[in-house]
Amino acid sequence: MAAEELPSQFDVVILGTGLTESVIAAALSRVGQNVLHLDRRNYYAGNWASFTFNGLLSWIEEYKNQQEVQITESEQVWRSLIDEGEDVVPLSSVDSSISNLEVFCYASEEEEKEEEAKGLLTSCQPMNAETVSEETAGDSTVTGDDATAADATTQNEEHKFSEPKEEQHTSDISEPSQSQEEKDSQPISSPADPPVEVEKKITYQKLVKEGRRFNIDLVSKLMYSRGALVDLLIKSNVSRYAEFKNIGRILTCRNGKVEQVPCSRADVFASKQLTVVEKRMLMKFLTFCLDFEQHPEEYKDYIEKPFRDFLKNKKLTENLQDFILHSIAMVTQQTLTEEGLKATQHFLRCLGRYGNTPFLFPLYGLGEIPQCFCRMCAVFGGIYCLRHSVQCLVVDKASNKVKAVIDTRGQKISCSHFVVEDSYIRDEQRRSTVYRQISRAVLITDRSVLPSESDQQISLVTIPPLESSAPAVRMVELCSSSMTCMPGTYLVHLTCSSSGTAQEDLAPVVSELFHVSTIPGEEPSEGAEERSKPAVLWVMYFNMRDTSALDSSSYSLPSNVHVCTGPDGSLGSDCSIKLAESVFQHILPDEEFCPPAPNPEDIIYDGDGPQAEGHGFEESVNTEAEEEGAAHEKSPSTESSEPAEMDSVTQQAPSDTTPSTEE
Amino acid sequence: MMHGRVKVKSTAQQEEEKRKEKEEKLKAFVTARDAVLKKRSAGEHDEEALQLTRQLLSSNPDFASLWNYRREVLLQLETSREKDEVQKLYESELHFIEACLKVNPKSYGCWHHRTWVNTRLSQPDWTRELGLCDRCLSLDERNFHCWDYRRVVVKESGVSVEQELQFTDRLIGSNFSNYSSWHYRSTLLPQLHPQPAPDSAPNTSPSPTTSPQAHSHRVCEEQLLKEYELAHNAFFTDPNDQSAWFYYRWLLGRAEREEMISCVYVSREGERVSVAFSKPVHAQSEGLMLVLDGQPQQVEWRSTHPRLRHSPVWLCDLPPGSISDISNEHNLTIHWTEKHTHRDCALYTGCAESWCRDSATDQELFRSELSVEKSSVLQAELQSCNQLLELEPQNKWCLLTIILLMRALDPLGHEKETLTHFQALKEVDPMRSSYYSDLCSKFLIENTILKMEYAEVRVFSLSNKNLTTLCHLDQLLFVTHINLSSNQLLRLPPQFAMLQCLEVLEADDNAIESLEGLYHLPKLEEVSLRNNQICKLSDLELLASCTKLTRLDLRGNPVHRTAHIESELSQLLPLVTALSL
């Protein structure tokens, strides 16, 4: 059927919907390139994805199945499509970037009796249409994600205004597109009134039942408020598709005790653990770091030496040295002075832009961000297909360039560039198959590692190596108002560079900071030391391949194939954004990278007067989409319409998200 | 061809659209405004008026006349409505104001109107109002309109002082550079933690010998120590932030001197009485009464210089012949009826003059600037500041505070260090070097006065001290010789006329241009002004009022170039016999 066929020609075919690929897709589409964006998975964002609890359970299931299933390859299908003078580069159909996955559940398995009577939370509607689309939509489009992204407030302003409200904050700005009913029910379950929940024991059934409230990221990163990602979101106007929450505090763990790291001026002032002299020394040092390049005499003797030695030389107390090294610069014992100073400077420059810490976190999880860029790409005509991959590349022997791809349905689609995520590359095309790994743990806990006045803070916890040989661990504790976990729980992400399996690397830290019961549902005995630690309800360990160190020299591929490495182990996303920009520049050296998207009211639609603009565009795209059989992005004019209209759009959304292309 | 590329309106197109939009808005606004003003002058107070003003105010909340009109309308509607409806009317008014505040959170009209609306409500919802203030202040912590309104709300709703103190804790915690919060704190602490009353019974009849310092607005020591710590935390974190330093100086205490008559001087020659007060007063309106040998006298008080309408020193002439006989003894009492205080002075047989005063010990006179704290506390604070200075040798706030602490502790003992610190201050803060010079002059004069007190002499030397200004001249009422040579003085100010006993003035090697203060000094005989900047003959005219002046040295002044200077001067000052030009 014609509707199943994709157009046979694109400027660029992009395979994989991780952050780098999505940014490239948006950037190309924005300047008029014809983009086909594919992903073999049934969800967006690849290893950058966020899952509901249930979605994550399916993902785990899939991972386990993949280990067993032997992939059979059907070369015959594409053999016939290859012409004279063409060569073939097959792609991998198996994703082996995840390994050593282990899951443990400590929440009690027994049914709750009062549950139904309470009914407060269970009556809630699905969190958003996007989660629906993730689970049910097969070869779907971004369309469904409109639900999350309709608010066009820029991130800047959004923050300024919502920040002081703290508690109400998230419920205020949550889901502009939720139906009225959902909006009404939101405050009931909002973090403002968790006491009921906190008292209640959370069972596994409860986690499953409330699974939609979770948005569990595979990658744990924060956004530096002056990092490349935030700058790009603002510059490109993509920020309008997402909402953000400030990280409230930075914690560290010293001698088994969790304490707050004073990093902003207000923190230093309020800190009870520093003496006044330490306060002065710390502030003085930080002020120096802000423009350290201006005072080379201060550090020139230490350029070749570790940052740690420089800190010692500055007569900072051990206390302060630890804070700066582990929690502010977030570097290792071996990092050299200049790099340490630069890291400190970056941290400080990010402070205060949106709040008391340098970091932002996107509501509903990091997985939102690649989707925002996909959405931007779709607005400018990019075509999206999930559960749709590329079997092989067709290379022109003469020029040694890719001229087409053959997709998993056996269609030959020509293109002048091919962008692909690393995990689709076969070992034969690699010059080396030794990788760095990231160790990850995801925990659902019942309380914060450092309870404070507000139980709705996101905390970054930097954990110095427990033993000198062990890696430093970074932990992010998300509260329910970040829309990543159900009220009464915290979602905790641990990340470190691997020296063993994730469990070997991270389990010691988990048992240091949390109560891990031996029997599911067992309560720590009253009065015991364990009592003060949060209990782990559920934990997942896995390793993720870190390909960020690879570059074009690591692959033997045609020059118009651009490989995007997966997420790296660092806290920010600068590496992925920089890669996206360099790939873009490689493809279109003379075009601007992600110029600001125009305001919807400033867009001119062919042949239509300004009055009819919204309609005209939508219609024309609709027609095109029907012909091509690919669903499309909603027109930008619809997004910007008045709230009343927006609601009606949202109501239509579900029908848009169940496309006929499901296999 | 690149298809799919979105076409965007050009800047010119966008601007044209914006311009048109603006024009239309303006037209609509002007039309509505004219309609409203017409309605108001026609005395129409109806719903429509509310509707129209609402439209205008929502785009321009600063239109005061419209708020006034709204009040008129609301008062009118109030008379014809049920109680419930009136309540609803005002409730919606509050909502409307809130919307206007979002447009302009610093609109005088909005805040004023809000205060008014609350007075019309039988039971204003103060909790909501406090919440509104909190939200506004979290957006702009220095919005003084909101601070003002908040004060009204707190007062009306009876929020406890304790809660308010916690409120300042919170604000200071989020940004300690906000002086509004520190200042608010300083008004709350004395209410919440007042200093316990002193053990001694309150003075029923204040005598001049009791402590001249009033201990008002003080805070109990336990709380003070906590506050010192808070201030330390702030200025160690950011020593360049002035808010905490100002608060700190408030903590250290600025005691007010008790109001009293500090000195009475009487002289048989000229039968004149001079009275010095602890602060500048206006004698005619202070209810002064002079009793001589038990007889109230009708006297006319005059200040020492016509330019000083408020002055710490006042003079009067006794009736002729009342004390001129040196063989008589007299008792003089000055009553300051307004302040229920008085001072006696006895003039004994054989004495040409007499005075009565308190010894100007350091504690009483000059420490009031900083502190009434115990010296152990001050000593500890000085240590903290010195610790900070070691880390921040360039910090002006720290330097200045150390100087003040040293003065409070032991002005003479710390004189040398103080001078070094002043030197450092002038270097790190050259913009204010003149201020520091004047302050340093003041302290040096105070120190000299203290030394003089200990020596009990009437000769006062301030030569070669880099003085840039003169002060505390009221303390020098009975000084007979003053040496101001080799300083950087530019003038002898009107206050100089307080030196009623002055006989000899040496002020060589300054840059004096004006002699304003050499006015009616009854005993002045000799003036030396070598190497100064006196330019015109007219600058010397006032000297004629000093009737005993016989020796005048003007060498090295530009005035000697004036034509016929010698003859002009002898005409102006016929009594001067020794004139050096």
Side-chain angles (χ1 to χ4, degrees):
Chain A
M1 191 183 150
E4 297 281 329
E5 286 276 293
L6 286 167
S8 57
Q9 197 177 351
F10 283 89
D11 293 325
V12 185
V13 173
I14 301 176
L15 184 55
T17 51
L19 182 62
T20 310
E21 305 92 83
S22 302
V23 170
I24 295 168
L28 290 171
S29 165
R30 172 71 184 84
V31 297
Q33 290 282 296
N34 202 1
V35 173
L36 174 65
H37 201 172
L38 308 172
D39 199 306
R40 68 174 150 220
R41 303 166 181 97
N42 64 351
Y43 52 86
Y44 278 94
N47 280 347
W48 296 80
S50 306
F51 295 101
T52 62
F53 187 62
N54 314 65
L56 185 64
L57 296 179
S58 317
W59 180 81
I60 293 166
E61 211 48 45
E62 214 171 284
Y63 164 83
K64 286 181 180 157
N65 294 339
Q66 190 180 284
Q67 304 297 302
E68 296 154 17
V69 173
Q70 275 292 318
I71 308 295
T72 51
E73 305 205 9
S74 49
E75 286 208 4
Q76 278 64 31
V77 181
W78 47 261
R79 268 295 161 221
S80 61
L81 298 168
I82 304 304
D83 298 331
E84 193 81 7
E86 289 179 347
D87 223 342
V88 163
V89 177
L91 293 184
S92 164
S93 57
V94 190
D95 180 358
S96 50
S97 58
I98 304 292
S99 54
N100 305 321
L101 182 76
E102 299 287 349
V103 176
F104 304 93
C105 180
Y106 303 102
S108 151
E109 298 275 352
E110 72 209 51
E111 283 295 343
E112 268 175 89
K113 277 125 209 154
E114 306 166 280
E115 179 69 16
E116 300 312 316
K118 290 259 178 203
L120 274 182
L121 293 164
T122 46
S123 71
C124 281
Q125 299 298 306
M127 285 304 286
N128 53 39
E130 168 225 323
T131 52
V132 177
S133 78
E134 259 177 20
E135 286 166 0
T136 60
D139 198 347
S140 137
T141 67
V142 194
T143 324
D145 302 326
D146 279 9
T148 50
D151 194 347
T153 325
T154 72
Q155 168 203 355
N156 261 342
E157 287 162 356
E158 180 63 46
H159 231 87
K160 243 193 220 157
F161 255 82
S162 50
E163 179 56 16
K165 286 185 248 163
E166 282 286 26
E167 313 298 43
Q168 302 96 311
H169 167 78
T170 35
S171 54
D172 276 349
I173 59 165
S174 70
E175 284 313 275
S177 60
Q178 277 176 333
S179 72
Q180 200 52 49
E181 187 194 358
E182 282 170 334
K183 265 184 190 156
D184 288 344
S185 67
Q186 191 72 25
I188 301 173
S189 58
S190 82
D193 55 343
V196 189
E197 290 306 316
V198 169
E199 295 307 318
K200 249 167 49 179
K201 221 164 76 180
I202 293 157
T203 61
Y204 184 72
Q205 279 72 19
K206 180 109 185 162
L207 292 180
V208 173
K209 195 171 252 165
E210 299 293 323
R212 288 188 192 290
R213 295 189 167 272
F214 289 89
N215 279 297
I216 302 169
D217 292 324
L218 294 182
V219 175
S220 173
K221 284 179 180 293
L222 299 177
M223 297 163 64
Y224 278 93
S225 62
R226 288 188 198 279
L229 177 54
V230 168
D231 286 349
L232 180 65
L233 283 168
I234 293 169
K235 180 189 170 208
S236 62
N237 282 351
V238 171
S239 58
R240 68 172 63 158
Y241 301 134
E243 290 162 322
F244 305 89
K245 187 175 163 70
N246 245 127
I247 278 50
R249 54 188 187 168
I250 295 175
L251 308 176
T252 190
C253 179
R254 292 193 314 150
N255 313 319
K257 226 180 112 231
V258 177
E259 53 187 45
Q260 188 161 353
V261 177
C263 55
S264 71
R265 193 167 166 271
D267 287 349
V268 174
F269 168 67
S271 169
K272 296 249 187 292
Q273 72 237 45
L274 300 182
T275 67
V276 286
V277 174
E278 279 183 314
K279 289 182 184 200
R280 184 82 291 271
M281 298 305 284
L282 179 59
M283 286 299 288
K284 202 171 178 172
F285 182 77
L286 296 181
T287 314
F288 154 74
C289 289
L290 261 179
D291 57 353
F292 73 92
E293 298 97 332
Q294 309 297 315
H295 311 281
E297 71 285 354
E298 295 272 333
Y299 63 95
K300 66 174 196 303
D301 296 339
Y302 284 83
I303 287 183
E304 303 290 316
K305 294 178 191 162
F307 189 42
R308 164 122 249 172
D309 293 359
F310 179 65
L311 296 177
K312 263 184 210 145
N313 169 262
K314 280 278 158 187
K315 299 210 175 63
L316 295 164
T317 58
E318 212 151 289
N319 228 349
L320 297 178
Q321 291 178 35
D322 283 345
F323 284 150
I324 295 168
L325 193 76
H326 301 299
S327 305
I328 294 178
M330 286 182 268
V331 295
T332 67
Q333 306 269 2
Q334 290 78 39
T335 308
L336 294 184
T337 298
E338 214 164 353
E339 197 190 330
L341 284 170
K342 274 199 182 118
T344 311
Q345 186 184 53
H346 184 47
F347 181 101
L348 296 170
R349 285 188 175 164
C350 292
L351 265 184
R353 185 174 196 186
Y354 300 116
N356 239 351
T357 74
F359 306 109
L360 291 176
F361 183 78
L363 294 188
Y364 303 99
L366 194 68
E368 287 294 296
I369 300 298
Q371 294 193 60
C372 291
F373 283 98
C374 290
R375 188 170 150 69
M376 172 71 129
C377 172
V379 166
F380 288 93
I383 290 178
Y384 278 81
C385 300
L386 291 184
R387 213 184 278 180
H388 196 141
S389 188
V390 169
Q391 297 185 59
C392 61
L393 312 181
V394 180
V395 179
D396 179 50
K397 275 182 183 157
S399 61
N400 190 29
K401 285 199 168 181
V402 168
K403 56 193 284 194
V405 300
I406 292 169
D407 72 2
T408 40
R409 295 183 202 161
Q411 188 184 350
K412 187 170 176 182
I413 300 162
S414 66
C415 61
S416 25
H417 285 274
F418 180 65
V419 177
V420 60
E421 186 212 301
D422 172 87
S423 70
Y424 291 85
I425 305 295
R426 288 195 179 199
D427 284 353
E428 298 96 276
Q429 274 80 48
R430 298 177 188 274
R431 302 227 159 92
S432 157
T433 51
V434 183
Y435 308 102
R436 290 198 302 210
Q437 296 279 341
I438 302 165
S439 289
R440 291 272 292 115
V442 177
L443 284 70
I444 299 170
T445 68
D446 67 345
R447 84 190 82 156
S448 172
V449 285
L450 186 64
S452 68
E453 285 160 34
S454 165
D455 62 350
Q456 288 302 320
Q457 294 198 76
I458 302 179
S459 312
L460 168 65
V461 193
T462 56
I463 303 156
L466 294 181
E467 300 157 39
S468 57
S469 61
V473 174
R474 192 177 71 229
M475 181 165 114
V476 175
E477 183 187 76
L478 299 165
C479 57
S480 62
S481 66
S482 70
M483 307 316 233
T484 56
C485 56
M486 61 177 274
T489 65
Y490 288 84
L491 182 63
V492 181
H493 288 284
L494 285 87
T495 310
C496 71
S497 56
S498 307
S499 47
T501 68
Q503 197 184 350
E504 286 163 2
D505 288 341
L506 296 172
V509 175
V510 170
S511 47
E512 170 96 10
L513 288 172
F514 300 92
H515 169 73
V516 185
S517 63
T518 40
I519 311 152
E522 176 223 47
E523 283 286 315
S525 51
E526 209 59 50
E529 193 212 334
E530 292 293 293
R531 184 65 222 171
S532 61
K533 295 179 181 177
V536 177
L537 302 172
W538 187 87
V539 58
M540 164 173 85
Y541 294 101
F542 64 93
N543 288 87
M544 185 184 284
R545 192 183 283 173
D546 175 5
T547 50
S548 61
L550 307 182
D551 58 23
S552 56
S553 67
S554 317
Y555 310 94
S556 45
L557 285 165
S559 65
N560 62 342
V561 173
H562 310 277
V563 183
C564 300
T565 55
D568 65 343
S570 71
L571 181 55
S573 307
D574 290 33
C575 166
S576 304
I577 301 300
K578 287 199 176 106
L579 176 60
E581 187 166 3
S582 92
V583 169
F584 174 84
Q585 247 124 41
H586 205 262
I587 298 173
L588 297 174
D590 300 326
E591 289 281 355
E592 190 186 350
F593 180 64
C594 288
N599 287 323
E601 65 266 23
D602 291 333
I603 296 175
I604 300 174
Y605 303 100
D606 287 332
D608 283 311
Q611 273 76 25
E613 57 185 29
H615 230 69
F617 186 64
E618 180 136 55
E619 270 173 12
S620 69
V621 179
N622 262 333
T623 330
E624 196 181 43
E626 274 159 27
E627 280 167 11
E628 291 169 351
H632 63 91
E633 178 55 89
K634 225 177 249 60
S635 81
S637 58
T638 324
E639 288 154 38
S640 68
S641 52
E642 293 306 302
E645 290 172 56
M646 214 160 66
D647 273 353
S648 68
V649 169
T650 318
Q651 278 153 23
Q652 289 164 14
S655 64
D656 286 3
T657 53
T658 42
S660 55
T661 45
E662 197 154 345
E663 283 168 308
Chain B
M1 188 204 118
M2 295 234 190
H3 57 97
R5 190 190 276 269
V6 172
K7 284 185 205 146
V8 176
K9 286 175 193 161
S10 70
T11 334
Q13 273 172 307
Q14 284 176 29
E15 268 170 16
E16 178 61 17
E17 267 178 33
K18 264 184 205 149
R19 196 188 58 79
K20 269 192 194 153
E21 206 176 294
K22 255 188 178 170
E23 220 166 60
E24 271 163 35
K25 261 192 190 164
L26 180 67
K27 227 165 109 190
F29 185 85
V30 170
T31 319
R33 182 199 63 194
D34 292 346
V36 167
L37 295 181
K38 205 173 143 199
K39 249 176 112 58
R40 190 186 184 191
S41 55
E44 291 173 38
H45 296 117
D46 50 17
E47 288 273 4
E48 195 199 22
L50 284 186
Q51 199 47 48
L52 284 171
T53 50
R54 190 186 181 94
Q55 280 168 18
L56 289 169
L57 285 167
S58 14
S59 59
N60 177 16
D62 254 351
F63 205 148
S65 308
L66 296 187
W67 289 115
N68 288 337
Y69 185 28
R70 264 184 106 75
R71 275 194 285 281
E72 290 165 16
V73 176
L74 287 167
L75 284 173
Q76 179 66 37
L77 292 175
E78 209 178 297
T79 59
S80 59
R81 299 272 176 106
E82 291 290 317
K83 220 178 153 189
D84 284 6
E85 278 182 55
V86 172
Q87 176 81 17
K88 265 187 203 148
L89 195 63
Y90 283 123
E91 288 289 340
S92 81
E93 193 68 3
L94 288 177
H95 280 292
F96 171 55
I97 299 169
E98 204 173 320
C100 291
L101 284 174
K102 276 181 193 158
V103 179
N104 180 3
K106 294 191 172 178
S107 158
Y108 283 93
C110 281
W111 290 107
H112 179 251
H113 191 62
R114 199 169 183 89
T115 315
W116 180 82
V117 170
N118 277 315
T119 64
R120 305 306 300 172
L121 287 168
S122 54
Q123 280 180 320
D125 184 350
W126 295 121
T127 321
R128 179 192 57 202
E129 297 306 299
L130 268 185
L132 176 83
C133 292
D134 285 1
R135 261 183 295 151
C136 269
L137 287 180
S138 61
L139 292 175
D140 176 3
E141 60 204 5
R142 299 179 201 204
N143 182 345
F144 67 84
H145 303 265
C146 182
W147 274 102
D148 279 345
Y149 181 70
R150 198 174 184 287
R151 270 188 275 277
V152 173
V153 173
V154 166
K155 192 171 157 226
E156 292 297 328
S157 62
V159 177
S160 75
V161 180
E162 221 156 355
Q163 276 171 297
E164 286 301 279
L165 196 69
Q166 281 166 11
F167 170 71
T168 66
D169 275 338
R170 216 168 66 229
L171 287 193
I172 292 169
S174 70
N175 179 9
F176 62 83
S177 299
N178 183 2
Y179 189 67
S180 304
S181 333
W182 289 106
H183 173 260
Y184 192 32
R185 200 173 174 81
S186 75
T187 65
L188 298 168
L189 281 172
Q191 296 177 54
L192 197 61
H193 303 284
Q195 190 177 46
D199 294 336
S200 58
N203 288 316
T204 40
S205 58
S207 75
T209 48
T210 55
S211 159
Q213 294 177 338
H215 295 243
S216 57
H217 312 299
R218 298 302 303 155
V219 178
C220 74
E221 185 171 321
E222 194 193 344
Q223 185 63 30
L224 263 181
L225 292 176
K226 286 186 198 156
E227 296 301 312
Y228 285 131
E229 205 183 308
L230 194 66
H232 291 166
N233 275 327
F235 62 65
F236 270 85
T237 303
D238 185 356
N240 292 314
D241 190 278
Q242 59 179 18
S243 299
W245 286 109
F246 279 124
Y247 181 68
Y248 186 61
R249 266 154 70 175
W250 173 79
L251 284 176
L252 289 169
R254 179 180 289 269
E256 287 156 30
R257 283 189 69 198
E258 191 185 313
E259 293 170 325
M260 56 181 281
I261 299 173
S262 47
C263 176
V264 173
Y265 169 85
V266 56
S267 155
R268 287 191 203 265
E269 191 185 348
E271 297 177 274
R272 180 172 302 163
V273 177
S274 310
V275 182
F277 298 88
S278 57
K279 63 164 195 182
V281 297
H282 187 242
Q284 280 90 349
S285 54
E286 294 287 340
L288 289 188
M289 192 169 69
L290 189 153
V291 178
L292 179 65
D293 301 325
Q295 294 295 315
Q297 303 287 321
Q298 276 291 332
V299 292
E300 221 162 277
W301 294 102
R302 62 176 192 274
S303 121
T304 50
H305 193 283
R307 282 199 38 208
L308 300 174
R309 296 198 53 234
H310 277 78
S311 168
V313 176
W314 289 82
L315 311 172
C316 71
D317 295 321
L318 292 172
S322 47
I323 57 167
S324 52
D325 189 345
I326 200 156
S327 56
N328 286 342
E329 186 179 315
H330 297 282
N331 281 306
L332 189 81
T333 308
I334 308 286
H335 292 272
W336 188 2
T337 48
E338 293 267 298
K339 308 288 172 194
H340 307 287
T341 179
H342 66 275
R343 188 171 283 278
D344 302 319
C345 180
L347 181 59
Y348 298 107
T349 315
C351 293
E353 57 181 5
S354 172
W355 64 84
C356 172
R357 63 180 191 113
D358 289 328
S359 166
T361 63
D362 52 349
Q363 194 73 38
E364 289 153 357
L365 270 180
F366 305 126
R367 286 200 179 172
S368 57
E369 179 65 29
L370 197 62
S371 186
V372 291
E373 266 324 309
K374 282 194 232 152
S375 62
S376 64
V377 173
L378 291 180
Q379 197 67 52
E381 292 309 307
L382 180 59
Q383 257 170 27
S384 292
C385 287
N386 277 328
Q387 192 179 28
L388 179 59
L389 191 68
E390 233 170 83
L391 300 166
E392 298 293 323
Q394 306 273 297
N395 188 272
K396 63 170 181 170
W397 298 104
C398 189
L399 281 164
L400 185 58
T401 308
I402 288 176
I403 289 172
L404 297 177
L405 280 165
M406 284 178 166
R407 288 209 63 71
L409 281 163
D410 180 4
L412 294 176
H414 288 298
E415 182 171 302
K416 221 174 138 193
E417 285 164 276
T418 306
L419 288 175
T420 319
H421 286 330
F422 265 119
Q423 196 50 44
L425 260 178
K426 284 187 227 178
E427 278 159 24
V428 299
D429 189 16
M431 297 278 282
R432 268 159 287 274
S433 68
S434 298
Y435 165 72
Y436 297 128
S437 294
D438 284 359
L439 196 62
C440 185
S441 301
K442 178 171 173 257
F443 291 160
L444 285 172
I445 292 171
E446 287 175 358
N447 284 2
T448 315
I449 292 173
L450 293 176
K451 284 182 211 157
M452 179 184 75
E453 288 297 330
Y454 294 130
E456 294 206 31
V457 291
R458 295 178 75 180
V459 177
F460 195 65
S461 177
L462 282 169
S463 64
N464 207 7
K465 288 191 185 291
N466 289 318
L467 299 188
T468 54
T469 185
L470 291 173
C471 58
H472 292 308
L473 292 167
D474 56 308
Q475 300 289 330
L476 306 179
L477 189 58
F478 39 85
V479 163
T480 56
H481 287 65
I482 191 164
N483 182 357
L484 300 172
S485 299
S486 303
N487 284 301
Q488 295 156 32
L489 297 171
L490 299 175
R491 55 204 283 259
L492 297 175
Q495 287 80 356
F496 202 80
M498 293 172 192
L499 276 68
Q500 286 288 309
C501 299
L502 191 67
E503 292 164 13
V504 177
L505 163 65
E506 289 173 76
D508 300 343
D509 301 307
N510 278 287
I512 297 171
E513 298 167 347
S514 155
L515 300 174
E516 228 182 331
L518 297 184
Y519 173 81
H520 284 284
L521 290 171
K523 304 193 174 178
L524 187 63
E525 293 168 9
E526 187 179 334
V527 171
S528 179
L529 288 166
R530 285 161 68 169
N531 301 325
N532 277 293
Q533 294 298 321
I534 295 161
C535 301
K536 300 189 300 288
L537 192 66
S538 59
D539 294 332
L540 296 162
E541 272 169 9
L542 275 184
L543 285 177
S545 66
C546 303
T547 50
K548 285 213 170 160
L549 184 66
T550 52
R551 302 172 70 84
L552 179 61
D553 191 340
L554 287 172
R555 276 176 290 179
N557 280 284
V559 74
H560 78 266
R561 283 182 294 233
T562 314
H564 319 297
I565 178 70
E566 220 150 325
S567 60
E568 296 272 0
L569 265 180
S570 62
Q571 202 178 340
L572 180 68
L573 307 167
L575 296 173
V576 173
T577 49
L579 178 68
S580 315
L581 275 168

